[in-house]
C-alpha cells in the first residue's frame, strides 16, 4: 500500500469527532449518577473511563448515546449540541429529528452484545447501512463482508448469534457498530460478559480499531493492561464526578488520590 | 524439486468465497410452513365451503322416552358436524378480526401520545370487563337499529347478517385479549434490542418492522393460540344472534324432537374433536417458531 502510515496527529483530520460535556446532571430518582460533570474528549482520542461500579461511568456513555436523557447541562459531539438546538442567541431543547441527526455520528458496543437474534451476523451488520444510510443491498453486503473480515469472522457471515461464541458475538457487534463509520465510538464494558479465554480476541479487535484511528474511542473497562496499552488518557470516576484525569502512566502507576489507589488495588488483586 | 511439494504448502489457502445466505425466514422453513399451510387451507375451506343451513330436521324419531338411543345418536352426527363447521367458520372470521384489530390496539395502547393511549386503554378495559353474551346482544340491537349491515348487504358478500354480527362481536371481544398478548410479546423483547436500535439510529419504522415485531410475534403466538381455542368455545353463543352453529343445532333438535341427551352429548364430542387437535397444533407451532435467545 502506498498510503503513508498514519500517526496519532493525523487522526483528528480523519472524521473523528470530539465530545464536550458541560455541567451534565443525571439522577435516577434520588440517586445522583452524574453530578455537574465536565468532560472533554479530543477528536481521535482514546479515553478509558475507570471507577468502582455504581460510580456512573456507564451512564456517561449512555447519555452520549441518548439511551438516557440528561437532566441538565449540555453535550456536544463534533461541535454540534446533542440535546439542544440553536434558538436565537441561546439554545432550546432539541427535537427528535435533531437528536437523530447528531446521533448518526455516534456508535456503541454493549456489554451484552445486543445482536438481533433473528438475523445472521451479516444481516445484523447490513441492517443500518441499508435502512439508515441508504446503501444498496450489494454495497451493504460488500461492506459487511469487509467488516467481518476485519474482525476475523468472514466464515461466520451466515450464522445467527445463537450459533456464535460470546467473543464472536461481540466481534460481530463491533463490526455492526463500525458499519456506520461513527465519529465517536462508545464501548461499555465490552469484555465483562465474556469467558476469560475469549477476552483476548475482542481486545485485539479493539486495538486494531485504535491503531486505525478513524474514530474517537471512549471505553469503560476493567482491563487495566489494555487501558495502559491503548489509552491516551485515563479518567478515574467516582460518585458522579471525575476524581482524576491523566495519562495511563499517571493514573495507573502513580495515582494521587487514595480512592484511586484503593480502587486499582482491588481491581488488580481480583 | 519444488514440484513435489504439496499445493497446500506452497500456496496460501484460497480465500473462501462466502456466499450470502439470508437467515431463513419462517416461510422458507418447511417445518413451520407445513402446519401454517394446513391451517390456511383449512381456513379457506371453512370460509368458502361451509354454508349456513338453519334447518336441522331429523328424519327419524328416537325410541323410548329417556334412554340413550344409539341409532338416533349416529343419525344426528352429520347435522352436528354441519353446525360445528359453521361455528368454526365464525371462529376463524372473528379471530381474523381479533388478531388484526388487537395488534393495532396494542400499538395504540403503547402510543407516546396520551390522547391515543388512554382512550385505547379505556376501550380495552371496558370490552374486557363485560361479558361476550351481553356484547352480542348489544351488537345485534345496534346493527338492527342503525341498519349498518342489511341482510341483503350481507348476502351480497356471501355471509348471513347474523354471521357478520357474530364476527364483529367475537372479533372485538377477542381483539382486546389479543392486544394484551401482543403487548406481552412486545414487552418480552429485551431492553437491549431497543437500545441497539437506538445506537444504530434506526428510524421507528425499521425498528418495529425489522427488530421488534419479528421477535414479539413468536413470543405472542402461544397466547394468541390459546385465545383462538377460547374463541372457538365462545363462538356457539352466536346462537343468540341466529347463527346456525352447533348450539343452534342442539337446540333445534331439542325443540323438534324433544330429545336432549343425544344432541348435547354430541356437542361435547364435537368440541373435543376440534379443540384437541387445535391445541396440539398451536403447541407445535410455538415450539418451532421460537427463536433461540442470545
Amino acid at each position: 500500500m502506498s498510503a503513508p502510515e498514519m500517526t496519532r496527529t493525523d487522526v483528528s483530520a480523519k472524521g473523528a469527532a470530539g465530545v464536550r460535556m458541560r455541567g451534565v446532571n443525571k439522577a435516577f430518582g434520588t440517586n445522583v449518577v452524574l453530578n455537574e460533570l465536565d468532560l472533554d474528549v479530543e477528536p481521535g482520542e482514546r479515553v478509558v473511563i475507570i471507577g468502582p461500579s455504581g460510580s456512573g461511568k456507564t451512564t456517561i456513555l449512555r447519555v452520549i448515546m441518548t439511551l438516557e436523557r440528561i437532566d441538565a447541562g449540555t453535550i456536544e459531539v463534533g461541535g454540534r449540541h446533542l440535546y439542544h438546538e440553536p434558538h436565537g442567541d441561546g439554545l432550546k431543547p432539541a427535537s427528535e429529528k435533531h437528536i437523530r441527526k447528531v446521533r448518526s455520528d455516534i456508535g456503541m458496543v454493549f456489554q451484552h452484545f445486543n445482536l438481533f437474534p433473528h438475523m445472521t451476523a451479516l444481516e445484523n451488520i447490513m441492517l443500518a447501512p441499508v435502512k439508515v444510510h441508504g446503501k444498496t443491498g450489494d454495497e451493504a453486503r460488500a461492506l459487511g463482508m469487509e467488516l467481518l473480515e476485519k474482525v476475523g469472522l468472514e466464515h461466520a457471515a451466515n450464522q445467527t448469534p445463537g450459533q456464535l461464541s460470546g467473543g464472536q458475538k461481540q466481534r460481530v457487534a463491533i463490526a455492526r457498530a463500525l458499519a456506520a463509520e461513527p465519529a465517536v465510538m462508545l464501548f461499555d464494558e465490552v469484555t465483562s460478559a465474556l469467558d476469560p479465554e475469549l477476552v483476548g480476541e475482542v481486545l485485539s479487535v479493539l486495538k486494531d480499531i485504535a491503531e486505525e484511528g478513524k474514530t474517537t474511542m471512549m471505553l469503560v473497562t476493567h482491563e487495566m493492561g489494555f487501558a495502559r496499552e491503548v489509552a491516551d488518557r485515563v479518567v478515574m470516576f467516582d460518585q458522579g464526578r471525575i476524581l482524576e484525569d491523566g495519562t495511563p502512566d499517571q493514573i495507573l502507576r502513580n495515582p494521587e488520590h487514595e480512592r484511586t489507589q484503593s480502587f486499582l488495588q482491588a481491581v488488580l488483586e481480583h | 524439486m519444488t514440484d513435489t511439494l504439496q499445493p497446500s504448502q506452497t500456496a496460501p489457502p484460497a480465500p473462501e468465497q462466502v456466499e450470502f445466505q439470508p437467515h431463513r425466514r419462517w416461510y422458507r422453513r418447511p417445518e413451520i410452513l407445513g402446519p401454517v399451510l394446513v391451517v390456511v387451507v383449512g381456513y379457506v375451506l371453512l370460509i368458502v365451503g361451509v354454508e349456513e343451513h338453519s334447518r336441522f330436521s331429523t328424519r327419524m324419531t328416537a325410541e323410548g322416552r329417556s334412554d340413550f338411543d344409539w341409532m338416533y345418536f349416529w343419525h344426528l352426527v352429520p347435522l352436528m358436524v354441519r353446525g360445528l363447521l359453521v361455528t368454526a367458520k365464525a371462529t376463524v372470521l372473528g379471530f381474523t378480526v381479533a388478531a388484526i384489530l388487537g395488534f393495532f390496539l396494542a400499538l395504540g395502547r403503547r402510543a407516546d401520545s396520551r390522547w391515543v393511549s388512554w382512550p385505547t386503554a379505556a376501550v380495552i378495559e371496558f370490552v374486557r370487563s363485560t361479558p361476550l353474551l351481553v356484547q352480542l346482544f348489544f351488537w345485534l340491537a345496534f346493527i338492527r337499529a342503525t341498519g349498518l349491515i342489511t341482510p341483503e348487504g350481507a348476502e351480497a358478500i356471501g355471509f348471513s347478517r347474523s354471521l357478520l354480527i357474530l364476527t364483529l362481536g367475537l372479533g372485538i371481544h377477542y381483539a382486546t385479549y389479543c392486544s394484551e398478548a401482543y403487548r406481552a410479546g412486545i414487552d418480552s423483547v429485551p431492553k437491549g434490542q431497543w437500545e441497539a436500535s437506538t445506537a444504530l439510529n434506526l428510524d421507528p419504522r425499521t425498528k418495529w418492522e425489522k427488530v421488534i415485531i419479528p421477535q414479539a410475534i413468536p413470543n405472542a403466538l402461544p397466547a394468541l393460540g390459546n385465545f383462538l381455542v377460547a374463541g372457538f368455545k365462545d363462538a356457539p353463543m352466536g346462537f343468540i344472534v341466529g347463527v346456525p352453529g352447533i348450539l343452534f343445532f342442539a337446540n333445534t333438535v331439542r325443540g323438534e324432537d324433544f330429545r336432549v341427551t343425544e344432541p348435547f352429548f354430541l356437542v361435547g364430542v364435537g368440541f373435543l374433536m376440534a379443540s384437541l387437535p387445535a391445541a396440539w397444533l398451536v403447541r407445535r407451532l410455538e415450539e418451532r417458531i421460537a427463536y433461540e435467545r442470545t
Side-chain angles (χ1 to χ4, degrees), chain B residues 19 27 46 51 100 109 123 127 130 194 208 217 221 231:
Chain B
E19 208 180 311
Y27 49 80
L46 276 178
E51 291 190 21
I100 295 168
R109 193 167 187 168
V123 167
V127 173
T130 47
W194 303 80
W208 282 98
I217 298 292
L221 270 186

Side-chain angles (χ1 to χ4, degrees), chain B residues 12-24:
Chain B
E16 201 181 321
Q17 203 60 43
V18 181
E19 208 180 311
F20 177 58
Q21 288 168 0
H23 183 50
R24 286 190 309 161

Side-chain angles (χ1 to χ4, degrees), chain B residues 60-77 259-263 265-266:
Chain B
M60 69 174 283
T61 355
E63 305 268 337
R65 299 218 119 228
S66 58
D67 294 344
F68 195 90
D69 183 339
W70 280 101
M71 278 302 287
Y72 182 67
F73 176 83
W74 293 118
H75 176 74
L76 287 181
V77 168
R259 299 292 297 191
V260 177
T261 329
E262 291 90 349
F265 183 60
L266 262 177

Side-chain angles (χ1 to χ4, degrees), chain A residues 162-208:
Chain A
Q163 297 167 308
L164 301 175
S165 74
Q168 290 174 323
K169 279 185 227 181
Q170 196 56 295
R171 282 143 72 197
V172 172
I174 292 170
R176 183 175 72 172
L178 282 173
E181 297 179 5
V184 178
M185 279 191 82
L186 313 171
F187 298 88
D188 182 13
E189 304 201 27
V190 292
T191 56
S192 300
L194 300 178
D195 291 339
E197 75 268 25
L198 301 177
V199 169
E201 61 189 67
V202 172
L203 291 184
S204 92
V205 168
L206 291 186
K207 270 178 219 163
D208 290 346

